Amino acid sequence: EWAIQDISLSGKYSMPETSLRENLKLEIPGSYTYNDIVKSINSLYGTSNYKRVYFNLDGNKAKRNLNI
């Protein structure tokens, strides 16, 4: 489980950033497991607006950033 302090979005996306963040269904800051993040990413695929979505985490144990 990771403590995530922020989400960064990059790349091409076809919906407003606020809608994209809402579709992720992650309350930030919050603590999430790998499965929580995958479930969140899958909800983006459910919108049929994306072919590929990649994510990674950076930062330290106390403060991580989720990059999508």
Side-chain angles (χ1 to χ4, degrees), residues 48-62:
S48 300
N49 290 318
Y50 305 96
K51 291 180 183 178
R52 290 192 184 103
V53 179
Y54 299 100
F55 72 91
N56 65 37
L57 294 166
D58 63 19
N60 57 43
K61 286 185 179 184

Side-chain angles (χ1 to χ4, degrees), residues 10-68:
S10 62
K12 296 179 183 180
Y13 42 92
S14 59
M15 61 176 36
E17 186 174 319
T18 54
S19 297
L20 196 149
R21 288 177 182 272
E22 287 173 10
N23 278 302
L24 286 170
K25 300 176 184 162
L26 296 174
E27 301 233 357
I28 301 300
S31 293
Y32 297 99
T33 64
Y34 174 81
N35 288 334
D36 294 332
I37 295 170
V38 168
K39 184 178 176 181
S40 177
I41 297 298
N42 286 339
S43 71
L44 289 180
Y45 283 121
T47 66
S48 300
N49 290 318
Y50 305 96
K51 291 180 183 178
R52 290 192 184 103
V53 179
Y54 299 100
F55 72 91
N56 65 37
L57 294 166
D58 63 19
N60 57 43
K61 286 185 179 184
K63 187 176 181 181
R64 294 195 187 270
N65 188 54
L66 176 62
N67 302 305
I68 298 177

